[in-house]
């Protein structure tokens, strides 16, 4: 603002309030992390009904939990609608209950975001975010600036980091797979063999084969990743490098792989996919975000945050809009594609060899 323009005092105050709010958004993440580490959702869930702060505290693995501190954390999480708080009519202690949000924080639930939340809020994974401005000034890879090596290199030499990372990937894979199986019913029907490129420890392929027993499943990832993979019926694990060659199959499945890489690397991967599948009938099933920068869908804001996550954690990766997907697919040898919406954060991009 300059010159003699009139100042809208109300708008300026709102602007100040907004910046304070954005400044402390990290407190929401840390409160959520605290709740997951203390298993607060699990403690409430185990009672089968809303419970008091004292009951929550008695379930925390500690001889002397600080109930005052707990109450302050819960106050913020109630405000954010993660938990409910209901005063008792007889003047007794407030009862805290679960919401649709806190049910995603249960450790032992079939579908849980708890491992992903712990992973994304671990100091190792938060450190690269502090390098965003350096990436703007200098280019380069944020994770490497923070840790002196890229994310995959750290995972290959640090078993603790490897486990945190794999657990985070596995929990989101389960959630996405549930959405894929419900929203992509006919997509696997004609596939005899399927290779999951970057399939981690094989949980995704196991889910697909369980639902479609006729499929011969190949779980393909780096050797140190598949080395820790459990045995699954109908799935074989293959170690290798997707930039060199991909095992042959009727179709290639890739979930949240392409966003880790820049366009040039994505084209290399797609060209190797093209070699791995039949000339006329083959297809690639890509599960990724399709960015809608102006969109108002329930996941569109998260999509833009994920794009910055790619700066923080990947080797030059990014989330892509549909025109950006069209470009890399064409350069990789896939002239036809369609986008299929599923009830989840990503969509399915089905690309055809013919």
């Amino acid at each position: 603002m300059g010159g003699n323009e009139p100042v809208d005092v109300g708008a300026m105050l709102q602007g100040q309030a907004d910046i304070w709010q954005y400044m402390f958004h990290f407190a929401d993440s840390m409160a959520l992390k605290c709740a997951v580490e203390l298993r607060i959702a699990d403690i409430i869930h185990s009672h089968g009904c809303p419970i008091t702060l004292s009951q929550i505290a008695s379930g925390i693995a500690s001889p002397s939990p600080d109930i005052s501190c707990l109450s302050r954390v819960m106050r913020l999480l109630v405000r954010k609608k993660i938990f409910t708080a209901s005063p008792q009519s007889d003047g007794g202690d407030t009862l805290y209950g679960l919401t649709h949000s806190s049910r995603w924080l249960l450790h032992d639930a079939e579908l849980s975001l708890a491992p992903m939340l712990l992973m994304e809020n671990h100091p190792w994974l938060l450190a690269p975010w502090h390098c965003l401005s350096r990436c703007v000034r200098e280019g380069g890879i944020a994770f490497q600036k923070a840790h002196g090596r890229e994310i995959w290199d750290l995972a290959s030499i640090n078993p603790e980091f490897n486990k945190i990372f794999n657990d985070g990937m596995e929990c989101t894979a389960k959630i996405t797979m549930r959405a894929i199986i419900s929203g992509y019913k006919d997509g696997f029907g004609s596939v005899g063999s399927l290779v999951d490129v970057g399939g981690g420890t094989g949980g995704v392929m196991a889910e697909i084969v369980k639902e479609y027993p006729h499929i011969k499943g190949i779980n393909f990832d780096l050797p140190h990743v598949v080395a820790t993979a459990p045995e699954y019926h109908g799935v074989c694990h293959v170690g290798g490098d997707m930039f060199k060659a991909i095992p042959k199959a009727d179709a290639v499945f890739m979930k949240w792989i392409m966003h880790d890489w820049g366009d040039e690397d994505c084209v290399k991967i797609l060209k190797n996919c093209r070699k791995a599948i039949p000339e006329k009938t083959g297809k690639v099933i890509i599960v990724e975000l399709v960015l809608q920068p102006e969109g108002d869908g329930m996941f569109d804001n998260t999509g833009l945050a994920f794009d910055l996550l790619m700066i923080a954690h990947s080797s030059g990766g990014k989330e892509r809009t549909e025109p950006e997907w069209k470009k890399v697919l064409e350069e990789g040898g896939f002239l036809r594609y369609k986008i299929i919406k599923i009830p989840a954060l990503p969509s399915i991009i089905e690309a055809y060899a013919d």
Side-chain angles (χ1 to χ4, degrees), residues 106-231:
L106 294 168
H107 283 78
D108 299 325
E110 189 184 352
L111 299 179
S112 173
L113 279 168
M116 182 67 166
L117 194 142
L118 292 176
M119 172 190 137
E120 291 297 348
N121 288 286
H122 191 285
W124 286 332
L125 284 144
L126 287 174
W129 286 96
H130 293 280
C131 301
L132 278 184
S133 59
R134 283 184 61 195
C135 289
V136 172
R137 287 193 193 102
E138 310 160 5
I141 296 166
F143 199 91
Q144 195 167 44
K145 290 177 191 294
H147 295 294
R149 62 183 76 241
E150 293 187 39
I151 194 165
W152 318 113
D153 296 330
L154 184 60
S156 69
I157 62 164
N158 185 320
E160 185 187 352
F161 179 76
N162 194 41
K163 180 170 179 6
I164 290 167
F165 186 83
N166 285 341
D167 287 350
M169 294 298 99
E170 194 175 326
C171 84
T172 53
K174 278 186 189 172
I175 293 165
T176 307
M177 280 314 303
R178 181 65 59 88
I180 289 168
I181 284 164
S182 70
Y184 187 60
K185 291 187 190 305
D186 304 323
F188 297 114
S190 60
V191 174
S193 57
L194 182 69
V195 55
D196 184 1
V197 173
T201 50
V204 166
M205 185 53 75
E207 286 286 313
I208 295 172
V209 170
K210 188 173 160 190
E211 195 72 21
Y212 300 90
H214 70 277
I215 291 178
K216 177 192 169 193
I218 304 159
N219 179 58
F220 179 65
D221 210 312
L222 294 167
H224 77 268
V225 176
V226 296
T228 64
E231 283 187 28

